[in-house]
Amino acid sequence: MSAYKLDVPTKRGSVLNGVLFRSDDGKSDTALIAITGIHGNFYSNPFYYNIGSTLNNGGIDFIYAQTNDAFNRIETFNTKTGKAEIIGSYNEYFSYTDDDIDAYLDFAESQGYLNVILAGHSLGANKVIYYLSRHHDKKRVSHFLLLSPANLEWLMKGVTVQEKNIVRSMHDNGKGKDMLPFAFMGWVPCIADTAYDWLFTDTLNNVHVEADKDFSQVAEITHTGALLIGTYDNFTYGDPSGFLSNINSHMPTASENKLIFIEKTGHTYQRKEQETAERILGLLKKW
């Protein structure tokens, strides 16, 4: 296995940083692209190493695909301005989703992969749902893999009414690019516009515990794939299996999709990293 740093330019100019895990013979025609969630970097989510190594041993390439929010702040480069820039969870806009995913798919296409599986973990899974609800090209994406989609309403439950009012006021009064006077959700220092996306837009608020909530994006997905979650995932109000089954039930391809449950682990598969990687490899081998 060899790992290569990727600098992937987006159409808006921002360069995203990823890693390509390539099998030693360099001849794989299949790649799994994994879109990261908020702060979903190697340091907080070490399971990515297990996935990369395991897939490579099975003859499949792996692209660890950071978007804007893998870290709170990332120093990168903008190809349009020709200048260094700082991106991160502190200034992400959910409207960047199409651009970010297209950048990694463009890279995969440039490498000649014939079979590309588009995966996402946590908020990255929500981004994949959003993207596939709008893009139905099965030559560019063969299948999807959703790893522990993020229940935004669960994440928002700790945001107070006063904090919500501050976010709305700053956004509405032209101060959206100013930093909030508090850490959003208690752990994300960010600008008001970013918090506004989380709180008041439905761009990535596309999966829910309740069956009668808005699943309009999920209902537009025409690809087949798989959904995976740990049975201790605490973003689901205590019912990870029901959460995943509910999401799948709203898909037109529900009967063709695979549900995978990793027993006795949580949102980032602690102590089950290798089992998770092996289950993913087994799935991809069948595809």
Side-chain angles (χ1 to χ4, degrees), residues 19-83:
V19 179
L20 171 62
F21 290 77
R22 174 165 279 164
S23 50
D24 289 332
D25 63 12
K27 296 180 179 179
S28 178
D29 62 2
T30 298
L32 174 71
I33 300 174
I35 306 298
T36 59
I38 183 169
H39 297 182
N41 50 70
F42 281 125
Y43 301 100
S44 60
N45 293 170
F47 65 84
Y48 284 119
Y49 283 104
N50 296 72
I51 294 174
S53 175
T54 301
L55 292 187
N56 278 181
N57 288 337
I60 296 172
D61 288 356
F62 175 61
I63 298 172
Y64 160 79
Q66 289 184 172
T67 54
N68 274 54
D69 59 5
F71 292 88
N72 181 244
R73 291 173 183 262
I74 308 168
E75 184 172 352
T76 184
F77 182 79
N78 190 293
T79 58
K80 289 193 172 181
T81 66
K83 298 178 181 179

Short mmCIF file of all heavy atoms in Angstrom, two decimals, residues 19-83:
data_model
loop_
_atom_site.label_atom_id
_atom_site.label_comp_id
_atom_site.label_asym_id
_atom_site.label_seq_id
_atom_site.Cartn_x
_atom_site.Cartn_y
_atom_site.Cartn_z
N VAL A 19 -6.27 12.21 0.66
CA VAL A 19 -5.21 11.21 0.58
C VAL A 19 -5.70 10.06 -0.29
O VAL A 19 -6.82 9.58 -0.11
CB VAL A 19 -4.82 10.67 1.98
CG1 VAL A 19 -3.73 9.60 1.86
CG2 VAL A 19 -4.35 11.80 2.89
N LEU A 20 -4.85 9.62 -1.22
CA LEU A 20 -5.13 8.45 -2.04
C LEU A 20 -4.34 7.26 -1.49
O LEU A 20 -3.12 7.30 -1.43
CB LEU A 20 -4.73 8.70 -3.49
CG LEU A 20 -4.76 7.48 -4.43
CD1 LEU A 20 -6.17 6.91 -4.55
CD2 LEU A 20 -4.20 7.85 -5.80
N PHE A 21 -5.06 6.23 -1.04
CA PHE A 21 -4.45 4.97 -0.67
C PHE A 21 -4.52 4.08 -1.91
O PHE A 21 -5.60 3.64 -2.32
CB PHE A 21 -5.22 4.31 0.48
CG PHE A 21 -5.10 5.02 1.80
CD1 PHE A 21 -5.82 6.17 2.06
CD2 PHE A 21 -4.26 4.51 2.78
CE1 PHE A 21 -5.72 6.81 3.28
CE2 PHE A 21 -4.16 5.14 4.02
CZ PHE A 21 -4.88 6.30 4.26
N ARG A 22 -3.38 3.82 -2.49
CA ARG A 22 -3.33 3.07 -3.75
C ARG A 22 -2.67 1.72 -3.52
O ARG A 22 -1.63 1.63 -2.87
CB ARG A 22 -2.57 3.86 -4.81
CG ARG A 22 -2.34 3.11 -6.11
CD ARG A 22 -1.91 4.06 -7.21
NE ARG A 22 -3.06 4.75 -7.81
CZ ARG A 22 -2.98 5.84 -8.57
NH1 ARG A 22 -1.80 6.40 -8.79
NH2 ARG A 22 -4.06 6.38 -9.08
N SER A 23 -3.29 0.66 -4.05
CA SER A 23 -2.71 -0.68 -3.94
C SER A 23 -1.37 -0.72 -4.66
O SER A 23 -1.12 0.04 -5.60
CB SER A 23 -3.66 -1.72 -4.53
OG SER A 23 -4.10 -1.34 -5.81
N ASP A 24 -0.48 -1.58 -4.22
CA ASP A 24 0.91 -1.57 -4.67
C ASP A 24 1.06 -1.76 -6.17
O ASP A 24 1.98 -1.20 -6.78
CB ASP A 24 1.72 -2.63 -3.92
CG ASP A 24 1.94 -2.25 -2.46
OD1 ASP A 24 1.95 -1.04 -2.17
OD2 ASP A 24 2.07 -3.15 -1.61
N ASP A 25 0.18 -2.54 -6.78
CA ASP A 25 0.33 -2.75 -8.23
C ASP A 25 -0.22 -1.58 -9.04
O ASP A 25 0.05 -1.46 -10.23
CB ASP A 25 -0.32 -4.07 -8.67
CG ASP A 25 -1.82 -4.11 -8.44
OD1 ASP A 25 -2.41 -3.06 -8.15
OD2 ASP A 25 -2.39 -5.21 -8.55
N GLY A 26 -1.00 -0.69 -8.37
CA GLY A 26 -1.50 0.51 -9.05
C GLY A 26 -2.43 0.22 -10.19
O GLY A 26 -2.59 1.05 -11.10
N LYS A 27 -3.09 -0.94 -10.17
CA LYS A 27 -3.91 -1.34 -11.32
C LYS A 27 -5.39 -1.47 -10.99
O LYS A 27 -6.15 -2.02 -11.78
CB LYS A 27 -3.40 -2.66 -11.88
CG LYS A 27 -1.99 -2.59 -12.46
CD LYS A 27 -1.55 -3.93 -13.01
CE LYS A 27 -0.14 -3.85 -13.61
NZ LYS A 27 0.33 -5.16 -14.13
N SER A 28 -5.81 -1.00 -9.83
CA SER A 28 -7.21 -1.15 -9.47
C SER A 28 -8.11 -0.30 -10.36
O SER A 28 -7.79 0.85 -10.67
CB SER A 28 -7.43 -0.74 -8.01
OG SER A 28 -8.80 -0.86 -7.67
N ASP A 29 -9.24 -0.87 -10.77
CA ASP A 29 -10.20 -0.09 -11.54
C ASP A 29 -11.37 0.36 -10.66
O ASP A 29 -12.33 0.95 -11.15
CB ASP A 29 -10.71 -0.87 -12.75
CG ASP A 29 -11.46 -2.15 -12.37
OD1 ASP A 29 -11.62 -2.42 -11.16
OD2 ASP A 29 -11.88 -2.88 -13.28
N THR A 30 -11.26 0.10 -9.33
CA THR A 30 -12.31 0.46 -8.38
C THR A 30 -11.75 1.36 -7.30
O THR A 30 -10.66 1.12 -6.78
CB THR A 30 -12.92 -0.79 -7.72
OG1 THR A 30 -13.52 -1.61 -8.73
CG2 THR A 30 -13.99 -0.42 -6.70
N ALA A 31 -12.49 2.41 -6.96
CA ALA A 31 -12.09 3.30 -5.88
C ALA A 31 -13.29 3.64 -5.02
O ALA A 31 -14.40 3.86 -5.53
CB ALA A 31 -11.47 4.58 -6.43
N LEU A 32 -13.06 3.69 -3.73
CA LEU A 32 -14.05 4.18 -2.77
C LEU A 32 -13.64 5.59 -2.36
O LEU A 32 -12.52 5.80 -1.87
CB LEU A 32 -14.11 3.28 -1.54
CG LEU A 32 -15.01 3.76 -0.39
CD1 LEU A 32 -16.47 3.63 -0.79
CD2 LEU A 32 -14.74 2.98 0.89
N ILE A 33 -14.52 6.56 -2.57
CA ILE A 33 -14.30 7.94 -2.13
C ILE A 33 -15.10 8.14 -0.86
O ILE A 33 -16.32 7.96 -0.86
CB ILE A 33 -14.74 8.95 -3.19
CG1 ILE A 33 -13.97 8.75 -4.50
CG2 ILE A 33 -14.58 10.38 -2.68
CD1 ILE A 33 -14.45 9.63 -5.64
N ALA A 34 -14.43 8.55 0.23
CA ALA A 34 -15.12 8.75 1.51
C ALA A 34 -15.11 10.23 1.87
O ALA A 34 -14.06 10.79 2.20
CB ALA A 34 -14.44 7.94 2.60
N ILE A 35 -16.27 10.86 1.80
CA ILE A 35 -16.43 12.26 2.16
C ILE A 35 -16.50 12.37 3.69
O ILE A 35 -17.32 11.72 4.33
CB ILE A 35 -17.71 12.86 1.54
CG1 ILE A 35 -17.73 12.64 0.01
CG2 ILE A 35 -17.85 14.33 1.89
CD1 ILE A 35 -16.61 13.31 -0.74
N THR A 36 -15.62 13.19 4.26
CA THR A 36 -15.53 13.27 5.72
C THR A 36 -16.65 14.13 6.30
O THR A 36 -17.24 14.97 5.63
CB THR A 36 -14.19 13.88 6.14
OG1 THR A 36 -14.07 15.19 5.57
CG2 THR A 36 -13.02 13.04 5.66
N GLY A 37 -16.90 13.93 7.59
CA GLY A 37 -17.84 14.75 8.33
C GLY A 37 -17.14 15.90 9.03
O GLY A 37 -15.93 16.10 8.85
N ILE A 38 -17.87 16.64 9.84
CA ILE A 38 -17.28 17.77 10.54
C ILE A 38 -16.24 17.27 11.53
O ILE A 38 -16.50 16.37 12.33
CB ILE A 38 -18.36 18.63 11.24
CG1 ILE A 38 -17.72 19.85 11.91
CG2 ILE A 38 -19.21 17.82 12.19
CD1 ILE A 38 -18.71 20.88 12.39
N HIS A 39 -15.04 17.82 11.43
CA HIS A 39 -13.87 17.41 12.21
C HIS A 39 -13.56 15.92 12.01
O HIS A 39 -12.97 15.27 12.87
CB HIS A 39 -14.05 17.73 13.70
CG HIS A 39 -14.17 19.19 13.98
ND1 HIS A 39 -14.29 19.71 15.24
CD2 HIS A 39 -14.20 20.28 13.14
CE1 HIS A 39 -14.39 21.03 15.18
NE2 HIS A 39 -14.34 21.40 13.89
N GLY A 40 -13.95 15.40 10.85
CA GLY A 40 -13.78 13.98 10.55
C GLY A 40 -12.43 13.68 9.95
O GLY A 40 -12.34 13.05 8.89
N ASN A 41 -11.37 14.12 10.60
CA ASN A 41 -10.02 13.92 10.09
C ASN A 41 -9.41 12.64 10.65
O ASN A 41 -10.00 11.94 11.47
CB ASN A 41 -9.15 15.13 10.44
CG ASN A 41 -9.25 15.48 11.91
OD1 ASN A 41 -8.75 14.75 12.76
ND2 ASN A 41 -9.90 16.58 12.23
N PHE A 42 -8.19 12.34 10.21
CA PHE A 42 -7.51 11.12 10.64
C PHE A 42 -7.32 11.07 12.16
O PHE A 42 -7.32 10.00 12.76
CB PHE A 42 -6.14 11.00 9.98
CG PHE A 42 -6.19 10.50 8.56
CD1 PHE A 42 -5.61 11.24 7.55
CD2 PHE A 42 -6.79 9.30 8.24
CE1 PHE A 42 -5.63 10.78 6.23
CE2 PHE A 42 -6.83 8.84 6.94
CZ PHE A 42 -6.24 9.57 5.93
N TYR A 43 -7.15 12.24 12.77
CA TYR A 43 -6.88 12.28 14.21
C TYR A 43 -8.12 11.90 15.02
O TYR A 43 -8.04 11.19 16.02
CB TYR A 43 -6.38 13.66 14.62
CG TYR A 43 -5.11 14.06 13.90
CD1 TYR A 43 -5.15 14.92 12.81
CD2 TYR A 43 -3.88 13.55 14.29
CE1 TYR A 43 -4.00 15.29 12.13
CE2 TYR A 43 -2.72 13.90 13.62
CZ TYR A 43 -2.79 14.77 12.54
OH TYR A 43 -1.65 15.11 11.86
N SER A 44 -9.28 12.37 14.59
CA SER A 44 -10.51 12.08 15.32
C SER A 44 -11.19 10.80 14.82
O SER A 44 -11.99 10.21 15.55
CB SER A 44 -11.48 13.25 15.22
OG SER A 44 -11.82 13.51 13.87
N ASN A 45 -10.89 10.40 13.61
CA ASN A 45 -11.52 9.20 13.01
C ASN A 45 -10.45 8.27 12.45
O ASN A 45 -10.31 8.12 11.23
CB ASN A 45 -12.48 9.61 11.89
CG ASN A 45 -13.71 10.36 12.36
OD1 ASN A 45 -14.45 10.90 11.55
ND2 ASN A 45 -13.93 10.43 13.65
N PRO A 46 -9.69 7.59 13.31
CA PRO A 46 -8.59 6.74 12.82
C PRO A 46 -9.05 5.52 12.02
O PRO A 46 -8.23 4.86 11.39
CB PRO A 46 -7.87 6.31 14.11
CG PRO A 46 -8.88 6.48 15.20
CD PRO A 46 -9.73 7.64 14.80
N PHE A 47 -10.36 5.25 12.01
CA PHE A 47 -10.84 4.11 11.23
C PHE A 47 -10.55 4.26 9.75
O PHE A 47 -10.52 3.26 9.01
CB PHE A 47 -12.35 3.89 11.44
CG PHE A 47 -13.23 4.99 10.95
CD1 PHE A 47 -13.63 5.05 9.62
CD2 PHE A 47 -13.72 5.96 11.82
CE1 PHE A 47 -14.45 6.06 9.15
CE2 PHE A 47 -14.55 6.97 11.37
CZ PHE A 47 -14.92 7.03 10.04
N TYR A 48 -10.28 5.49 9.28
CA TYR A 48 -9.96 5.67 7.87
C TYR A 48 -8.69 4.91 7.47
O TYR A 48 -8.58 4.41 6.35
CB TYR A 48 -9.79 7.15 7.55
CG TYR A 48 -11.09 7.93 7.45
CD1 TYR A 48 -11.36 8.98 8.31
CD2 TYR A 48 -12.05 7.60 6.49
CE1 TYR A 48 -12.55 9.70 8.22
CE2 TYR A 48 -13.23 8.30 6.39
CZ TYR A 48 -13.48 9.36 7.26
OH TYR A 48 -14.66 10.06 7.16
N TYR A 49 -7.72 4.84 8.38
CA TYR A 49 -6.50 4.08 8.09
C TYR A 49 -6.82 2.61 7.87
O TYR A 49 -6.30 1.97 6.94
CB TYR A 49 -5.49 4.21 9.23
CG TYR A 49 -4.75 5.52 9.28
CD1 TYR A 49 -5.09 6.49 10.21
CD2 TYR A 49 -3.72 5.78 8.39
CE1 TYR A 49 -4.42 7.70 10.27
CE2 TYR A 49 -3.03 6.99 8.43
CZ TYR A 49 -3.38 7.94 9.37
OH TYR A 49 -2.71 9.14 9.42
N ASN A 50 -7.69 2.05 8.74
CA ASN A 50 -8.07 0.64 8.59
C ASN A 50 -8.76 0.40 7.25
O ASN A 50 -8.49 -0.59 6.57
CB ASN A 50 -9.00 0.21 9.72
CG ASN A 50 -8.35 0.26 11.08
OD1 ASN A 50 -8.10 1.34 11.62
ND2 ASN A 50 -8.06 -0.89 11.66
N ILE A 51 -9.65 1.32 6.88
CA ILE A 51 -10.36 1.15 5.61
C ILE A 51 -9.37 1.21 4.44
O ILE A 51 -9.40 0.35 3.56
CB ILE A 51 -11.45 2.23 5.45
CG1 ILE A 51 -12.54 2.04 6.51
CG2 ILE A 51 -12.06 2.18 4.05
CD1 ILE A 51 -13.59 3.14 6.52
N GLY A 52 -8.48 2.20 4.45
CA GLY A 52 -7.52 2.34 3.35
C GLY A 52 -6.64 1.12 3.21
O GLY A 52 -6.45 0.58 2.11
N SER A 53 -6.09 0.64 4.33
CA SER A 53 -5.20 -0.51 4.29
C SER A 53 -5.93 -1.78 3.88
O SER A 53 -5.45 -2.55 3.04
CB SER A 53 -4.56 -0.70 5.67
OG SER A 53 -3.78 -1.87 5.71
N THR A 54 -7.11 -1.99 4.44
CA THR A 54 -7.87 -3.21 4.15
C THR A 54 -8.33 -3.25 2.70
O THR A 54 -8.24 -4.30 2.03
CB THR A 54 -9.08 -3.31 5.10
OG1 THR A 54 -8.61 -3.33 6.45
CG2 THR A 54 -9.90 -4.57 4.84
N LEU A 55 -8.83 -2.13 2.19
CA LEU A 55 -9.26 -2.10 0.79
C LEU A 55 -8.08 -2.33 -0.13
O LEU A 55 -8.19 -3.06 -1.14
CB LEU A 55 -9.94 -0.78 0.47
CG LEU A 55 -11.29 -0.50 1.13
CD1 LEU A 55 -11.91 0.77 0.56
CD2 LEU A 55 -12.26 -1.66 0.99
N ASN A 56 -6.94 -1.72 0.17
CA ASN A 56 -5.76 -1.91 -0.68
C ASN A 56 -5.32 -3.36 -0.70
O ASN A 56 -4.96 -3.90 -1.75
CB ASN A 56 -4.61 -1.03 -0.20
CG ASN A 56 -4.70 0.40 -0.70
OD1 ASN A 56 -3.84 1.21 -0.42
ND2 ASN A 56 -5.75 0.73 -1.44
N ASN A 57 -5.36 -4.01 0.44
CA ASN A 57 -5.02 -5.44 0.48
C ASN A 57 -5.98 -6.27 -0.34
O ASN A 57 -5.64 -7.36 -0.81
CB ASN A 57 -5.00 -5.93 1.93
CG ASN A 57 -3.80 -5.42 2.70
OD1 ASN A 57 -2.79 -5.05 2.12
ND2 ASN A 57 -3.93 -5.37 4.03
N GLY A 58 -7.20 -5.74 -0.53
CA GLY A 58 -8.19 -6.42 -1.36
C GLY A 58 -8.21 -5.94 -2.80
O GLY A 58 -9.11 -6.30 -3.56
N GLY A 59 -7.22 -5.11 -3.17
CA GLY A 59 -7.12 -4.66 -4.56
C GLY A 59 -8.00 -3.50 -4.93
O GLY A 59 -8.27 -3.26 -6.11
N ILE A 60 -8.44 -2.73 -3.93
CA ILE A 60 -9.33 -1.58 -4.18
C ILE A 60 -8.67 -0.32 -3.65
O ILE A 60 -8.12 -0.30 -2.55
CB ILE A 60 -10.70 -1.79 -3.49
CG1 ILE A 60 -11.42 -3.00 -4.11
CG2 ILE A 60 -11.56 -0.53 -3.60
CD1 ILE A 60 -12.68 -3.40 -3.38
N ASP A 61 -8.70 0.76 -4.42
CA ASP A 61 -8.13 2.03 -3.99
C ASP A 61 -9.12 2.78 -3.10
O ASP A 61 -10.34 2.59 -3.18
CB ASP A 61 -7.74 2.88 -5.19
CG ASP A 61 -6.51 2.35 -5.92
OD1 ASP A 61 -5.91 1.36 -5.43
OD2 ASP A 61 -6.15 2.90 -6.97
N PHE A 62 -8.56 3.65 -2.26
CA PHE A 62 -9.37 4.40 -1.30
C PHE A 62 -8.96 5.87 -1.32
O PHE A 62 -7.78 6.18 -1.23
CB PHE A 62 -9.19 3.83 0.11
CG PHE A 62 -9.88 4.61 1.20
CD1 PHE A 62 -11.26 4.75 1.19
CD2 PHE A 62 -9.16 5.19 2.23
CE1 PHE A 62 -11.90 5.47 2.19
CE2 PHE A 62 -9.78 5.90 3.24
CZ PHE A 62 -11.16 6.04 3.22
N ILE A 63 -9.95 6.74 -1.47
CA ILE A 63 -9.69 8.18 -1.46
C ILE A 63 -10.34 8.78 -0.22
O ILE A 63 -11.57 8.80 -0.09
CB ILE A 63 -10.24 8.86 -2.72
CG1 ILE A 63 -9.55 8.29 -3.97
CG2 ILE A 63 -10.05 10.37 -2.65
CD1 ILE A 63 -10.16 8.75 -5.28
N TYR A 64 -9.49 9.20 0.73
CA TYR A 64 -9.94 9.92 1.92
C TYR A 64 -10.15 11.36 1.48
O TYR A 64 -9.22 12.05 1.09
CB TYR A 64 -8.87 9.79 3.00
CG TYR A 64 -8.92 10.82 4.10
CD1 TYR A 64 -9.84 10.70 5.14
CD2 TYR A 64 -8.02 11.89 4.11
CE1 TYR A 64 -9.86 11.64 6.16
CE2 TYR A 64 -8.04 12.82 5.13
CZ TYR A 64 -8.96 12.70 6.15
OH TYR A 64 -8.98 13.62 7.17
N ALA A 65 -11.41 11.81 1.53
CA ALA A 65 -11.80 13.06 0.86
C ALA A 65 -12.25 14.11 1.87
O ALA A 65 -13.43 14.18 2.23
CB ALA A 65 -12.91 12.78 -0.16
N GLN A 66 -11.30 14.91 2.31
CA GLN A 66 -11.65 16.00 3.20
C GLN A 66 -12.41 17.08 2.44
O GLN A 66 -12.03 17.44 1.32
CB GLN A 66 -10.39 16.64 3.80
CG GLN A 66 -9.69 15.77 4.81
CD GLN A 66 -8.50 16.47 5.45
OE1 GLN A 66 -7.92 15.94 6.39
NE2 GLN A 66 -8.12 17.64 4.97
N THR A 67 -13.46 17.60 3.05
CA THR A 67 -14.10 18.80 2.53
C THR A 67 -13.71 19.96 3.44
O THR A 67 -12.70 19.91 4.13
CB THR A 67 -15.61 18.60 2.41
OG1 THR A 67 -16.15 18.17 3.67
CG2 THR A 67 -15.94 17.53 1.36
N ASN A 68 -14.48 21.03 3.42
CA ASN A 68 -14.08 22.21 4.19
C ASN A 68 -13.94 21.97 5.69
O ASN A 68 -13.14 22.62 6.35
CB ASN A 68 -15.11 23.33 3.99
CG ASN A 68 -14.82 24.15 2.76
OD1 ASN A 68 -14.69 23.61 1.67
ND2 ASN A 68 -14.71 25.46 2.92
N ASP A 69 -14.73 21.05 6.22
CA ASP A 69 -14.89 21.00 7.66
C ASP A 69 -14.18 19.84 8.36
O ASP A 69 -14.51 19.50 9.49
CB ASP A 69 -16.37 20.98 8.02
CG ASP A 69 -17.11 19.79 7.42
OD1 ASP A 69 -16.46 18.92 6.80
OD2 ASP A 69 -18.34 19.72 7.57
N ALA A 70 -13.21 19.21 7.71
CA ALA A 70 -12.51 18.10 8.36
C ALA A 70 -11.75 18.58 9.60
O ALA A 70 -11.55 17.82 10.56
CB ALA A 70 -11.54 17.43 7.38
N PHE A 71 -11.29 19.82 9.57
CA PHE A 71 -10.67 20.47 10.72
C PHE A 71 -11.39 21.80 10.95
O PHE A 71 -12.08 22.30 10.07
CB PHE A 71 -9.19 20.77 10.47
CG PHE A 71 -8.32 19.55 10.37
CD1 PHE A 71 -8.14 18.91 9.16
CD2 PHE A 71 -7.66 19.05 11.49
CE1 PHE A 71 -7.33 17.79 9.04
CE2 PHE A 71 -6.85 17.94 11.38
CZ PHE A 71 -6.68 17.31 10.16
N ASN A 72 -11.18 22.40 12.12
CA ASN A 72 -11.77 23.72 12.35
C ASN A 72 -11.17 24.74 11.39
O ASN A 72 -11.89 25.57 10.83
CB ASN A 72 -11.58 24.17 13.79
CG ASN A 72 -12.21 25.53 14.04
OD1 ASN A 72 -11.54 26.50 14.34
ND2 ASN A 72 -13.53 25.61 13.89
N ARG A 73 -9.84 24.67 11.18
CA ARG A 73 -9.18 25.57 10.25
C ARG A 73 -8.09 24.80 9.50
O ARG A 73 -7.31 24.07 10.11
CB ARG A 73 -8.54 26.77 10.98
CG ARG A 73 -9.56 27.74 11.56
CD ARG A 73 -8.89 28.80 12.40
NE ARG A 73 -9.86 29.69 13.02
CZ ARG A 73 -10.21 30.88 12.54
NH1 ARG A 73 -9.63 31.34 11.44
NH2 ARG A 73 -11.12 31.62 13.14
N ILE A 74 -8.07 24.96 8.19
CA ILE A 74 -7.08 24.32 7.34
C ILE A 74 -6.47 25.40 6.45
O ILE A 74 -7.20 26.15 5.78
CB ILE A 74 -7.70 23.24 6.44
CG1 ILE A 74 -8.54 22.24 7.23
CG2 ILE A 74 -6.62 22.51 5.63
CD1 ILE A 74 -9.40 21.34 6.37
N GLU A 75 -5.16 25.48 6.41
CA GLU A 75 -4.52 26.42 5.49
C GLU A 75 -4.37 25.75 4.13
O GLU A 75 -3.79 24.67 4.02
CB GLU A 75 -3.14 26.86 6.00
CG GLU A 75 -2.51 27.91 5.09
CD GLU A 75 -1.24 28.50 5.66
OE1 GLU A 75 -0.92 28.22 6.82
OE2 GLU A 75 -0.56 29.24 4.91
N THR A 76 -4.91 26.37 3.11
CA THR A 76 -4.85 25.81 1.77
C THR A 76 -4.60 26.94 0.77
O THR A 76 -4.09 27.98 1.13
CB THR A 76 -6.13 25.00 1.45
OG1 THR A 76 -6.00 24.37 0.18
CG2 THR A 76 -7.38 25.86 1.48
N PHE A 77 -4.97 26.71 -0.49
CA PHE A 77 -4.63 27.63 -1.58
C PHE A 77 -5.84 27.80 -2.46
O PHE A 77 -6.65 26.88 -2.61
CB PHE A 77 -3.45 27.04 -2.37
CG PHE A 77 -2.96 27.91 -3.50
CD1 PHE A 77 -2.14 29.00 -3.25
CD2 PHE A 77 -3.32 27.65 -4.81
CE1 PHE A 77 -1.69 29.80 -4.29
CE2 PHE A 77 -2.87 28.44 -5.85
CZ PHE A 77 -2.05 29.53 -5.59
N ASN A 78 -5.99 28.97 -3.02
CA ASN A 78 -7.09 29.22 -3.95
C ASN A 78 -6.53 29.47 -5.34
O ASN A 78 -5.75 30.40 -5.55
CB ASN A 78 -7.92 30.42 -3.49
CG ASN A 78 -9.21 30.56 -4.28
OD1 ASN A 78 -9.20 30.84 -5.47
ND2 ASN A 78 -10.33 30.33 -3.61
N THR A 79 -6.93 28.62 -6.29
CA THR A 79 -6.38 28.69 -7.65
C THR A 79 -6.88 29.92 -8.40
O THR A 79 -6.26 30.34 -9.38
CB THR A 79 -6.75 27.44 -8.45
OG1 THR A 79 -8.18 27.31 -8.50
CG2 THR A 79 -6.14 26.19 -7.80
N LYS A 80 -8.00 30.50 -7.98
CA LYS A 80 -8.54 31.67 -8.68
C LYS A 80 -7.89 32.97 -8.20
O LYS A 80 -7.60 33.86 -9.00
CB LYS A 80 -10.06 31.73 -8.50
CG LYS A 80 -10.79 30.65 -9.29
CD LYS A 80 -12.27 30.91 -9.36
CE LYS A 80 -12.95 29.93 -10.31
NZ LYS A 80 -14.41 30.17 -10.43
N THR A 81 -7.66 33.06 -6.89
CA THR A 81 -7.05 34.28 -6.36
C THR A 81 -5.54 34.20 -6.38
O THR A 81 -4.85 35.23 -6.32
CB THR A 81 -7.51 34.53 -4.92
OG1 THR A 81 -7.00 33.50 -4.07
CG2 THR A 81 -9.03 34.60 -4.83
N GLY A 82 -5.00 32.97 -6.45
CA GLY A 82 -3.56 32.78 -6.41
C GLY A 82 -2.97 33.00 -5.03
O GLY A 82 -1.76 33.15 -4.87
N LYS A 83 -3.82 32.99 -4.02
CA LYS A 83 -3.38 33.28 -2.66
C LYS A 83 -3.71 32.12 -1.72
O LYS A 83 -4.61 31.31 -1.98
CB LYS A 83 -4.05 34.55 -2.14
CG LYS A 83 -3.72 35.80 -2.95
CD LYS A 83 -4.46 37.00 -2.39
CE LYS A 83 -4.15 38.26 -3.20
NZ LYS A 83 -4.88 39.45 -2.69
#
